[in-house]
Amino acid sequence: MLTKIKQLFSDSTAFAFALMGNKIVSFLLVPVYTRQLLSSEFADWDQTNTIAMVLTYLCILGTDTAFAYYYFAAKDEKDRNGYFTAAVMFPTLISLVFLLIVYFISEPSSKLLYDHPEGYPHLLTMAVLVIVFNVIIQQTLAYARYSRQVWTFNIGSMSFVIGSSLASVYFVVVEKQGVMGIFYGQIVAQALVAAVLLWHYRDKFTLSVHKRHVKDLLKYGVPLLPALLAFWVMNAVSRPMIYHMVSSEVAGVFGLALRFASMIALLTTAFQLAWRPFSVSIKDREDAQQIYSLLGRGFLVLATFFILFLTFFIQPLIQVVAGSEEYFGAYPYVWMLATGTVLNTMHLIVGVGLLIQKRTKEISKTFLVAAAIYLVGNGILIPIVGPWGTAAMNVVTYLYAFLSIYRKGQKVYRVDFRMRSMLTYFGIYVVVLSTITYAQVQGWSGLWMVYLFSLAVMVAAVFMTGVFNKSSITYLRERLPNLIGKR
């Protein structure tokens, strides 16, 4: 069992290497953009990005997740290459269709999307053109992940992020192209990386796309699409609601909070990239359920402590990075937004049985309900408490999705996650982080004492709630030397 856990964490660490580089680059861009763009312009960029993310998932249609399954289920190398070809070419074709449609509606829609649309007649078209190249990059790098070509994944991933960032900075800072300049840079860099990756994997493509491969990918992936769309709509809809129901300036500040909250992606995204192929590859092992349980509990503890330490430093960090005082109010929302990301990642763990048994429709049903809850909650709370309402609904909605998928997963594939202990621990975590945020907002003196007490409470909660106990620690301690020795 520990050998397989080692494989997961080895892959997660390797993927995190690229993600860490990408996140560092992204955060280096924040002080550039906050100094070059007004908060309202930052909100325009953020809003366009969220629309593009939703469209990206409409283009991919869940074929990335489906390819993770069929990569291992393929009967031979030729069959696997057929699935790979379909997973790249079909979504690319869909993205080109979207590009054609958006070209004709971009200018009139800009008047509805932005407060000052004069400079953005083709901003949405530029964003969708980025999607075309992004789809190619995502799907080809998926092959690198599933085949454990870690360095190919890392180099490809970092090349398109760093290249896009440098090119965007040139267009924004030197050419003074504002929001449009960000997308000009992405187009130039991502087109180049997509071309290189297509050339690198040229021998993996089949001469034609077979109907069976497309059908298999869509049959597995499309039922997941509502869940993916619901997830991204939940991420996308809040900012336009804040933009139009409060102000573009507040939406810009909230968008910055989301970018700081995305620091948790150093952990969650790396884990997700490794988890999908890993969970499928061990499903037939006798100790699979034990591995899933241990990893689920371990991930919750690790992620919450990551957010805890981030919260200790978030206020001065935002002040240093943002530079402009109009962005300083972003810090209180960060931990709630990051917590939503953690809960969303954990649904993949507690719902592993649904993925193994191909019951992906159940996941979609849950997220459709979650999206409705999120929309209604935001509609009620944003006019009353502004971005606080969105931040709170982020936790509430993803907690609902996590519990619903856990319940459905247990019906088809039982895993003892010690759910009562996990929920008790999570409740303590929410109280602790809420207290820290209250102390920060109220400007309490001696915050370091609050931080030390909070850390002690969280450490104690891990063991007092039973998420991990003495036997669990003893089990790992006895086998850890062997695990390290095998590296």
Side-chain angles (χ1 to χ4, degrees), residues 56-197:
T56 299
Y57 277 85
L58 276 173
C59 295
I60 293 177
L61 293 172
T63 55
D64 54 342
T65 302
F67 182 46
Y69 181 88
Y70 284 105
Y71 178 89
F72 295 98
K75 59 185 179 182
D76 52 36
E77 185 68 18
K78 183 179 179 181
D79 194 38
R80 182 178 294 118
N81 290 343
Y83 283 115
F84 173 56
T85 303
V88 175
M89 297 305 174
F90 186 76
T92 301
L93 177 62
I94 299 296
S95 65
L96 290 171
V97 172
F98 270 109
L99 179 63
L100 182 63
I101 294 171
V102 170
Y103 176 78
F104 291 103
I105 67 171
S106 180
E107 187 169 358
S109 64
S110 66
K111 297 175 183 178
L112 299 174
L113 292 172
Y114 310 109
D115 282 350
H116 304 286
E118 295 80 12
Y120 305 146
H122 298 293
L123 180 59
L124 204 55
T125 303
M126 297 295 100
V128 178
L129 182 56
V130 172
I131 291 174
V132 175
F133 302 122
N134 207 318
V135 165
I136 296 172
I137 293 170
Q138 283 190 45
Q139 299 297 79
T140 50
L141 288 180
Y143 186 93
R145 295 205 317 268
Y146 305 149
S147 58
R148 302 188 70 196
Q149 297 175 17
V150 174
W151 284 108
T152 300
F153 174 83
N154 285 347
I155 293 171
S157 178
M158 294 180 71
S159 294
F160 97 82
V161 172
I162 295 173
S164 296
S165 301
L166 293 176
S168 294
V169 167
Y170 170 79
F171 283 106
V172 172
V173 177
V174 179
E175 298 295 331
K176 303 295 182 184
Q177 294 292 317
V179 176
M180 290 291 290
I182 298 175
F183 291 98
Y184 291 151
Q186 291 177 350
I187 290 169
V188 171
Q190 293 190 29
L192 179 60
V193 174
V196 171
L197 286 172

Side-chain angles (χ1 to χ4, degrees), residues 280-393:
V280 173
S281 69
I282 70 165
K283 63 184 177 66
D284 296 322
R285 288 173 57 102
E286 291 183 0
D287 59 351
Q289 288 93 334
Q290 188 178 358
I291 295 175
Y292 295 145
S293 174
L294 184 62
L295 291 174
R297 290 179 281 124
F299 180 82
L300 176 64
V301 172
L302 183 62
T304 50
F305 270 83
F306 184 102
I307 297 173
L308 178 68
F309 285 110
L310 175 62
T311 305
F312 291 164
F313 303 102
I314 192 61
Q315 190 173 6
L317 183 61
I318 285 182
Q319 291 175 355
V320 170
V321 174
S324 177
E325 190 173 348
E326 64 178 330
Y327 291 99
F328 288 177
Y331 75 90
Y333 317 119
V334 171
W335 78 265
M336 287 181 278
L337 298 173
T339 299
T341 301
V342 169
L343 290 171
N344 178 64
T345 302
M346 288 203 65
H347 92 262
L348 296 172
I349 304 174
V350 298
V352 65
L354 297 174
L355 296 173
I356 291 172
Q357 302 296 333
K358 300 183 182 179
R359 300 284 291 274
T360 53
K361 288 183 180 179
E362 297 301 321
I363 297 176
S364 293
K365 290 176 183 177
T366 290
F367 271 95
L368 287 174
V369 174
I373 295 172
Y374 188 79
L375 286 171
V376 172
N378 272 276
I380 295 171
L381 293 177
I382 288 176
I384 301 173
V385 293
W388 286 104
T390 295
M393 286 306 301

Side-chain angles (χ1 to χ4, degrees), residues 343 347 350-351 354 361-370 373 396-411 419 423:
L343 290 171
H347 92 262
V350 298
L354 297 174
K361 288 183 180 179
E362 297 301 321
I363 297 176
S364 293
K365 290 176 183 177
T366 290
F367 271 95
L368 287 174
V369 174
I373 295 172
V396 170
T397 306
Y398 284 115
L399 181 59
Y400 161 78
F402 167 76
L403 292 174
S404 176
I405 291 171
Y406 164 76
R407 179 178 58 83
K408 293 177 179 179
Q410 290 297 97
K411 291 180 180 179
M419 185 54 65
L423 289 177

Side-chain angles (χ1 to χ4, degrees), residues 466-486:
V467 172
F468 282 94
N469 52 33
K470 185 177 180 180
S471 61
S472 301
I473 301 302
T474 301
Y475 180 84
L476 290 175
R477 186 172 62 236
E478 289 176 350
R479 288 158 176 78
L480 190 58
N482 293 332
L483 179 63
I484 296 173
K486 292 178 182 179

